[in-house]
Tab-separated table of all heavy atoms in Angstrom:
chain	number	residue	atom	x	y	z
M	6	MET	N	-7.889	22.316	7.219
M	6	MET	CA	-8.726	21.697	6.186
M	6	MET	C	-9.237	22.554	5.081
M	6	MET	O	-8.975	23.779	5.036
M	6	MET	CB	-9.933	21.194	6.986
M	6	MET	CG	-9.627	20.161	8.031
M	6	MET	SD	-8.771	18.707	7.278
M	6	MET	CE	-10.221	18.174	6.307
M	15	ALA	N	-13.534	39.869	0.151
M	15	ALA	CA	-14.347	40.946	-0.418
M	15	ALA	C	-15.820	40.535	-0.626
M	15	ALA	O	-16.162	39.527	-0.029
M	15	ALA	CB	-13.692	41.283	-1.818
M	88	PRO	N	-2.486	36.313	-2.868
M	88	PRO	CA	-3.842	36.815	-3.190
M	88	PRO	C	-4.282	36.364	-4.712
M	88	PRO	O	-3.643	36.870	-5.692
M	88	PRO	CB	-3.750	38.273	-3.117
M	88	PRO	CG	-2.305	38.621	-3.376
M	88	PRO	CD	-1.507	37.403	-2.942
M	114	ARG	N	13.933	12.440	1.598
M	114	ARG	CA	12.855	11.529	1.984
M	114	ARG	C	13.123	10.179	1.615
M	114	ARG	O	13.196	9.791	0.360
M	114	ARG	CB	11.400	12.025	1.385
M	114	ARG	CG	11.005	13.472	1.870
M	114	ARG	CD	9.617	13.710	1.661
M	114	ARG	NE	9.155	14.862	2.223
M	114	ARG	CZ	8.790	15.112	3.438
M	114	ARG	NH1	8.724	14.093	4.243
M	114	ARG	NH2	8.502	16.331	3.867
M	142	PRO	N	-21.934	13.578	13.148
M	142	PRO	CA	-22.678	14.452	12.290
M	142	PRO	C	-21.943	14.878	11.132
M	142	PRO	O	-20.760	14.821	10.980
M	142	PRO	CB	-22.885	15.736	13.372
M	142	PRO	CG	-21.649	15.619	14.195
M	142	PRO	CD	-21.411	14.172	14.488
M	217	ASN	N	-6.702	15.307	9.713
M	217	ASN	CA	-5.373	15.364	9.215
M	217	ASN	C	-4.345	15.592	10.263
M	217	ASN	O	-3.218	15.041	10.008
M	217	ASN	CB	-5.389	16.522	8.149
M	217	ASN	CG	-6.238	16.218	6.965
M	217	ASN	OD1	-7.016	15.424	7.027
M	217	ASN	ND2	-5.931	16.963	5.797
M	220	TYR	N	-3.436	12.280	11.823
M	220	TYR	CA	-2.598	11.458	10.852
M	220	TYR	C	-1.170	11.958	11.005
M	220	TYR	O	-0.291	11.108	11.077
M	220	TYR	CB	-3.226	11.529	9.455
M	220	TYR	CG	-2.622	10.624	8.366
M	220	TYR	CD1	-2.294	9.357	8.740
M	220	TYR	CD2	-2.588	11.019	7.152
M	220	TYR	CE1	-1.791	8.394	7.842
M	220	TYR	CE2	-2.072	10.096	6.112
M	220	TYR	CZ	-1.691	8.860	6.511
M	220	TYR	OH	-1.271	7.921	5.593
M	259	PHE	N	-14.478	10.924	-16.036
M	259	PHE	CA	-14.583	9.479	-15.762
M	259	PHE	C	-14.553	8.656	-17.027
M	259	PHE	O	-15.102	9.162	-18.066
M	259	PHE	CB	-15.875	9.260	-14.935
M	259	PHE	CG	-15.895	9.847	-13.497
M	259	PHE	CD1	-16.459	11.091	-13.222
M	259	PHE	CD2	-15.203	9.225	-12.515
M	259	PHE	CE1	-16.437	11.577	-12.004
M	259	PHE	CE2	-15.266	9.705	-11.256
M	259	PHE	CZ	-15.780	10.879	-10.914
M	320	TRP	N	1.194	16.140	-2.208
M	320	TRP	CA	0.614	16.960	-1.010
M	320	TRP	C	0.823	16.104	0.165
M	320	TRP	O	1.199	16.604	1.340
M	320	TRP	CB	-0.769	17.403	-1.441
M	320	TRP	CG	-1.273	18.367	-0.365
M	320	TRP	CD1	-1.168	19.663	-0.366
M	320	TRP	CD2	-2.037	17.957	0.891
M	320	TRP	NE1	-1.750	20.267	0.754
M	320	TRP	CE2	-2.367	19.287	1.499
M	320	TRP	CE3	-2.572	16.820	1.479
M	320	TRP	CZ2	-3.140	19.267	2.647
M	320	TRP	CZ3	-3.210	16.969	2.576
M	320	TRP	CH2	-3.591	18.022	3.245
M	432	SER	N	13.593	-5.302	-4.786
M	432	SER	CA	12.587	-4.339	-4.609
M	432	SER	C	11.238	-4.878	-5.037
M	432	SER	O	10.357	-4.110	-5.412
M	432	SER	CB	12.870	-2.987	-5.462
M	432	SER	OG	12.044	-1.991	-4.982
M	448	ASN	N	-8.935	-21.789	7.878
M	448	ASN	CA	-9.690	-21.881	9.143
M	448	ASN	C	-8.996	-22.747	10.159
M	448	ASN	O	-9.600	-23.211	11.088
M	448	ASN	CB	-10.998	-22.322	8.795
M	448	ASN	CG	-11.795	-21.250	8.113
M	448	ASN	OD1	-11.845	-20.174	8.396
M	448	ASN	ND2	-12.598	-21.619	7.086
M	496	GLY	N	-8.365	-7.066	21.779
M	496	GLY	CA	-7.738	-6.031	22.682
M	496	GLY	C	-7.680	-4.760	22.045
M	496	GLY	O	-7.368	-3.702	22.846
M	533	GLU	N	22.485	-7.197	7.312
M	533	GLU	CA	22.791	-6.866	6.057
M	533	GLU	C	23.012	-8.057	5.217
M	533	GLU	O	23.120	-8.074	4.026
M	533	GLU	CB	24.053	-5.910	5.909
M	533	GLU	CG	23.870	-4.551	6.465
M	533	GLU	CD	25.067	-3.559	6.158
M	533	GLU	OE1	26.090	-4.068	5.787
M	533	GLU	OE2	24.906	-2.345	6.201
M	550	TYR	N	14.183	-28.161	0.828
M	550	TYR	CA	14.501	-26.888	0.206
M	550	TYR	C	15.424	-26.045	0.998
M	550	TYR	O	15.126	-25.794	2.167
M	550	TYR	CB	13.232	-26.255	-0.201
M	550	TYR	CG	13.429	-24.900	-0.996
M	550	TYR	CD1	14.300	-24.812	-1.979
M	550	TYR	CD2	12.643	-23.692	-0.713
M	550	TYR	CE1	14.539	-23.691	-2.773
M	550	TYR	CE2	12.717	-22.647	-1.497
M	550	TYR	CZ	13.649	-22.495	-2.490
M	550	TYR	OH	13.854	-21.384	-3.250
M	558	LYS	N	31.982	-13.259	4.660
M	558	LYS	CA	32.219	-14.562	5.398
M	558	LYS	C	30.995	-14.984	6.101
M	558	LYS	O	30.885	-16.074	6.633
M	558	LYS	CB	33.328	-14.431	6.448
M	558	LYS	CG	34.715	-14.206	5.852
M	558	LYS	CD	35.826	-14.145	6.898
M	558	LYS	CE	37.124	-13.892	6.328
M	558	LYS	NZ	38.163	-13.937	7.416
Side-chain angles (χ1 to χ4, degrees):
M6 294 301 294
R114 295 197 178 276
N217 289 21
Y220 192 31
F259 292 97
W320 189 87
S432 194
N448 290 316
E533 291 191 345
Y550 180 39
K558 296 181 180 181

